[in-house]
Amino acid sequence: MMFLLTTVACSAQSAVTVVKADEITKNMAAGKAMQIKNAVIDGDLDFSKAGSAFPVNSAVSETQINGNVYFEKCVFNGNVKAENVRFGSNLIFLENEFQKEVRFQNSSVFGTVNFSKSIFKGNATFANMAVWAKNSYFSEVKASSKFLFDASDFHGNLSLMGSEFADMFSLQETFVQGNLQGSNAKFNGNTDFALLNVLRRTIFKYAGFKSEPDFSESKAKVEK
Amino acid sequence: MLKRKLLAFSLFSTLFLTSCGEHWDSLLECDDVECVIEEGLSILERTGWLADKEDFDNIPEDIDIDTLDNGLPRAKSLENKFPPIGDQGSYGTCVAWATGYNLKTALNAIDKGWSSTQLNSTANQTSPKDLWFIIKSSDKGSNCNGTNFEPAMDALISKGAASLSSVPYTNMGNCSGSSNGNSSNKLGDYRKIASNAALAGGSGSAVGMNVNNFKNYLAQGRPVLIGAKLGDRFMSWKDASVIRNDTYRDPGMQHAYHAMVLVGYDDSKNAFRVRNSWGEGWGDKGSIWVEYDFFLTSFGFAAFVAENPKSSASAQIMEKQLPTGYDLLVASVEDFLPDASSPLKRAFSYKAYNSGKETILDNQKWTVLYMYYNAFNAKDFGVIYKDDYAGESILSGKDGLYISYEMPKITGKYYLVVYADAYDEIQEGDEDNNFYFFGAEDGKPLEFKNGIMMDSPVFAKKASSVQEIGGNPNAYTPEEIKKLVLRNKKKSGAAN
């Protein structure tokens, strides 16, 4: 069953659809896939409440979410969190605006991850994640606060193409099995590429760095 | 090997049953018990702060916790004040390493201006083994399985610890030895400067958990003893980069609390420098950079500063052989309840006089305060009664007259003190005897509920410090009370 919400229109004259974050997690927990466009998502959205939790050991439980997650041109006015969540399908956030913190940590995704053209106003953490997909897209993202991929594993390509990071950006201890594509990206804050491991190509053509990036102890052959 | 594993299982279960018993059932459900034993043991063997048992509420908070310097430097390192990186090996003795070997040695180095050569000498390094031995058995886990900051620092205050050359960190066995310590290497006092509200057993409210608070102490050249929660990445850290997040997926990591020392910060990295005791092979040659935000939100759970014993004002004067001059002192204090049906309406008396050889002239003013202060947060204090004097003329209350007062509706643990020349208007030969403290039996603080004193105050013939009436050796010193009163007077622009 598909839980589908769209606005009537997204023109300036139209009323904006407001969707309560709790309603979203409630519907997802009931097994519904999620596809929302042109809406304001009101309140904190916590994906760990959007499915059944099962223990993986005595200390940790993981929430299993089987359906696709798709948000397009939405504004999230609360925090967006996914800690210890196992996404069984795609995780798509296209052209959204995140007004507070985004925290996908200790989570795994068995599908495409796409946050392209999104705006991040608060800290964004995609740390200790595992993504099993051919491609993960963070292209043309605009981030005004910290943006971290620390210790995440991407079992495919990772694209940062054309993105702009105003504050701290980190790929510390990140593993990319395919290509890391960072061409035209702008890193205007401090960067940390220590222990980065890229198995194929690391491409930073026409990328701008505030200062010379430090790739010490990394296994990435950078192409500029 | 089997025997070792059985022993390991026993040690592991003992600690978990005492400090985190509710998780033990779920651990037993683990399929791979042997794996749990090995993982659990390795974590406990390398850490050793029993965070759940730390009694934060009974550790005095530093009175300077909110006093921030302007213009903090962008970076500060105290690493050259520390001995070489230590290695606690497979024992849960981190508190002894952080408190004794690292902090106490550094305090001595700072006070005595030791060079790196002197810091490399084991004769100048405080022995973590000796400190472990002087901690009461009831305050530590058996078989080297952890302890807390409070008993470790209390032991250093009361007994002091021997040098590493006298008591090397070898032949630890099951850590069941004992020691008389070393009275020439004592700690003066320690103060809580931060605690995380999330930690079970804490007071429920976060104290001092902001970046500038920590930076301020470091900028003043004061190393900070910390209790931290460790995660999976920290355990295997081997890099000079900054740790910004961690995972806690390993079954043992939820209770892996560890003692270390904050030795610096660097704004260009947005990080604190933390010194560990796992040898130089771990982290960045034995230390790690921890991002400010991560430190505050997930890593740091407790922080303390300490100092070496100070010689008293009297001792300093005797050393300098200064003439006595004026000497105001307080004696014969009494506080009582005239009418049991009105428990807030109390009365007290005191005697204050000049015992010095010089006469205080009529144009010389001085003040006596009768005050209460919170035994664990002295910034929570108030003036019950104030007498102003000029010269040596006798005014009301000075000569044993009873003074009625109404106790403010305070709740908690407090000491009372009569303080002569509270605003330091008369320069005296002996500034130490201006105080007359009193508390409950055994020098413990008095318990108040809405202003009602629940204990009977204990008096002594001479009680110029809480310690003299048998109080906690780590109680606030007269110098700290003096600092508070003067600071408050300056702030308010007038007497209370």
Side-chain angles (χ1 to χ4, degrees):
Chain A
M1 198 184 329
M2 178 78 85
F3 179 73
L4 183 64
L5 261 175
T6 55
T7 50
V8 178
C10 58
S11 65
Q13 298 96 315
S14 305
V16 177
T17 301
V18 177
V19 182
K20 293 280 181 196
D22 289 350
E23 286 298 314
I24 294 172
T25 49
K26 208 179 287 177
N27 278 289
M28 290 179 73
K32 296 170 183 170
M34 187 57 51
Q35 185 174 352
I36 300 179
K37 293 183 183 178
N38 299 306
V40 171
I41 312 300
D42 185 39
D44 291 349
L45 179 58
D46 184 352
F47 286 103
S48 69
K49 295 175 182 166
S52 302
F54 297 96
V56 284
N57 60 39
S58 60
V60 177
S61 290
E62 273 186 350
T63 300
Q64 177 76 34
I65 295 174
N66 292 319
N68 279 298
V69 174
Y70 186 99
F71 292 90
E72 184 180 343
K73 294 178 181 169
C74 292
V75 175
F76 295 81
N77 66 18
N79 299 309
V80 178
K81 256 176 56 177
E83 293 205 42
N84 297 312
V85 177
R86 189 179 166 90
F87 294 95
S89 299
N90 295 339
L91 184 63
I92 311 294
F93 288 82
L94 279 178
E95 295 186 57
N96 295 287
E97 180 177 312
F98 299 97
Q99 296 185 330
K100 291 191 175 167
E101 185 178 11
V102 175
R103 193 174 186 86
F104 285 73
Q105 184 154 310
N106 304 326
S107 293
S108 47
V109 184
F110 296 84
T112 299
V113 172
N114 192 349
F115 280 79
S116 294
K117 296 186 177 179
S118 287
I119 295 168
F120 294 84
K121 293 189 169 174
N123 291 337
T125 307
F126 296 90
N128 302 294
M129 285 189 69
V131 179
W132 277 270
K134 180 69 179 170
N135 292 295
S136 296
Y137 301 103
F138 289 83
S139 309
E140 297 184 57
V141 154
K142 282 189 174 31
S144 46
S145 295
K146 274 194 302 191
F147 209 98
L148 312 178
F149 287 106
D150 294 6
S152 283
D153 293 354
F154 293 92
H155 295 269
N157 303 315
L158 171 61
S159 176
L160 309 168
M161 201 151 61
S163 290
E164 290 183 31
F165 302 99
D167 202 338
M168 178 78 209
F169 175 85
S170 174
L171 282 165
Q172 183 194 83
E173 213 181 344
T174 307
F175 172 65
V176 180
Q177 197 163 326
N179 296 323
L180 170 59
Q181 176 56 271
S183 296
N184 292 319
K186 299 279 177 288
F187 301 94
N188 297 322
N190 292 332
T191 53
D192 185 350
F193 297 97
L195 302 167
L196 167 66
N197 187 357
V198 182
L199 291 193
R200 292 188 181 164
R201 299 172 65 195
T202 304
I203 310 159
F204 279 106
K205 288 191 174 170
Y206 311 112
F209 293 91
K210 177 190 168 194
S211 53
E212 189 61 25
D214 180 9
F215 283 89
S216 60
E217 300 187 62
S218 79
K219 292 177 184 168
K221 289 180 185 170
V222 183
E223 299 172 32
K224 285 188 185 173
Chain B
M1 185 63 182
L2 179 63
K3 194 175 173 184
R4 186 181 176 275
K5 284 186 176 175
L6 284 172
L7 174 65
F9 186 85
S10 164
L11 300 182
F12 184 52
S13 61
T14 302
L15 186 67
F16 266 70
L17 284 169
T18 52
S19 64
C20 46
E22 63 187 286
H23 292 274
W24 182 242
D25 290 343
S26 49
L27 280 178
L28 287 176
E29 287 168 13
C30 181
D31 292 331
D32 187 0
V33 172
E34 225 171 60
C35 165
V36 170
I37 295 167
E38 289 299 331
E39 284 186 0
L41 183 66
S42 65
I43 292 161
L44 293 170
E45 278 178 342
R46 298 180 70 191
T47 58
W49 175 39
L50 305 180
D52 294 352
K53 291 183 176 177
E54 194 73 66
D55 189 3
F56 290 104
D57 292 345
N58 286 324
I59 298 174
E61 188 176 304
D62 191 56
I63 61 168
D64 292 328
I65 196 166
D66 302 322
T67 313
L68 296 178
D69 288 345
N70 292 322
L72 288 168
R74 289 191 50 77
K76 179 77 181 180
S77 174
L78 303 174
E79 287 184 278
N80 63 353
K81 310 294 182 191
F82 281 77
I85 292 288
D87 191 346
Q88 68 187 82
S90 57
Y91 302 98
T93 53
C94 65
V95 171
W97 277 89
T99 309
Y101 178 78
N102 276 319
L103 181 69
K104 178 59 178 151
T105 305
L107 291 176
N108 293 345
I110 291 164
D111 287 353
K112 295 171 184 174
W114 284 344
S115 65
S116 58
T117 308
Q118 288 169 302
L119 275 163
N120 283 333
S121 165
T122 54
N124 290 328
Q125 297 162 3
T126 297
S127 167
K129 182 179 179 182
D130 198 57
L131 174 53
W132 182 266
F133 283 167
I134 62 173
I135 297 168
K136 284 190 282 184
S137 299
S138 56
D139 289 329
K140 55 192 177 189
S142 59
N143 298 304
C144 310
N145 273 332
T147 187
N148 291 103
F149 291 110
E150 188 182 14
M153 288 192 277
D154 283 347
L156 265 182
I157 288 173
S158 58
K159 291 186 172 178
S163 68
L164 191 60
S165 59
S166 306
V167 185
Y169 192 73
T170 53
N171 303 318
M172 291 295 286
N174 63 0
C175 298
S176 60
S178 62
S179 167
N180 293 323
N182 175 7
S183 60
S184 64
N185 189 32
K186 287 184 173 182
L187 194 66
D189 59 54
Y190 62 98
R191 298 287 177 256
K192 175 176 67 184
I193 64 164
S195 63
N196 189 322
L199 186 64
S203 59
S205 60
V207 170
M209 293 300 289
N210 64 74
V211 172
N212 278 349
N213 185 43
F214 292 106
K215 283 165 65 174
N216 195 55
Y217 283 102
L218 293 165
Q220 290 172 12
R222 300 188 71 182
V224 177
L225 191 60
I226 61 161
K229 181 182 177 183
L230 307 189
D232 307 325
R233 297 182 75 205
F234 183 95
M235 298 301 287
S236 54
W237 202 258
K238 198 172 168 50
D239 185 52
S241 54
V242 177
I243 188 168
R244 295 185 192 86
N245 52 66
D246 212 331
T247 63
Y248 306 92
R249 296 177 72 88
D250 189 302
M253 297 316 294
Q254 280 203 325
H255 293 271
Y257 293 102
H258 189 45
M260 291 172 286
V261 185
L262 221 54
V263 297
Y265 67 87
D266 187 340
D267 284 349
S268 72
K269 294 177 187 291
N270 252 354
F272 291 114
R273 183 74 165 164
V274 177
R275 197 170 184 86
N276 201 353
S277 51
W278 290 353
E280 288 197 349
W282 174 90
D284 178 20
K285 295 175 186 167
S287 297
I288 187 170
W289 289 103
V290 182
E291 190 205 37
Y292 294 149
D293 283 352
F294 177 59
F295 184 93
L296 296 183
T297 57
S298 309
F299 188 80
F301 274 71
F304 308 91
V305 287
E307 57 186 0
N308 278 329
K310 287 177 184 165
S311 51
S312 68
S314 311
Q316 287 170 16
I317 280 161
M318 282 177 72
E319 281 167 17
K320 292 176 186 171
Q321 294 184 324
L322 292 177
T324 309
Y326 311 119
D327 185 14
L328 287 163
L329 57 83
V330 179
S332 301
V333 178
E334 193 179 357
D335 187 299
F336 64 100
L337 185 63
D339 178 2
S341 65
S342 302
L344 291 179
K345 290 183 177 170
R346 303 188 62 88
F348 81 109
S349 69
Y350 71 93
K351 284 182 181 175
Y353 55 92
N354 174 24
S355 68
K357 291 175 182 172
E358 263 185 83
T359 303
I360 298 176
L361 304 176
D362 285 348
N363 63 353
Q364 290 177 283
K365 292 179 180 174
W366 53 287
T367 304
V368 172
L369 297 182
Y370 186 35
M371 302 166 47
Y372 64 84
Y373 67 92
N374 190 309
F376 305 108
N377 179 10
K379 287 175 296 171
D380 170 17
F381 77 97
V383 174
I384 298 168
Y385 188 82
K386 175 170 167 276
D387 254 347
D388 290 316
Y389 292 83
E392 298 197 332
S393 59
I394 297 170
L395 298 178
S396 171
K398 188 179 172 187
D399 200 25
L401 297 173
Y402 294 131
I403 301 162
S404 297
Y405 72 96
E406 183 157 334
M407 180 61 78
K409 291 184 177 175
I410 53 175
T411 296
K413 293 178 177 177
Y414 292 82
Y415 285 108
L416 298 171
V417 59
V418 181
Y419 182 9
D421 192 27
Y423 300 142
D424 207 20
E425 291 152 306
I426 306 289
Q427 299 306 305
E428 302 168 62
D430 184 352
E431 299 275 2
D432 283 353
N433 55 11
N434 293 22
F435 301 86
Y436 199 103
F437 291 87
F438 55 99
E441 204 173 344
D442 299 330
K444 288 176 184 164
L446 293 156
E447 180 89 35
F448 285 88
K449 284 185 182 167
N450 290 318
I452 299 172
M453 197 185 293
M454 309 305 288
D455 311 283
S456 296
V458 170
F459 307 100
K461 285 182 181 174
K462 180 176 178 292
S464 55
S465 74
V466 169
Q467 287 83 348
E468 285 178 27
I469 54 173
N472 180 345
N474 189 44
Y476 288 111
T477 62
E479 286 75 18
E480 285 170 296
I481 303 303
K482 181 176 181 177
K483 197 171 172 182
L484 270 178
V485 170
L486 290 176
R487 187 187 294 166
N488 190 60
K489 187 193 175 208
K490 193 175 173 185
K491 204 163 118 186
S492 63
N496 238 338

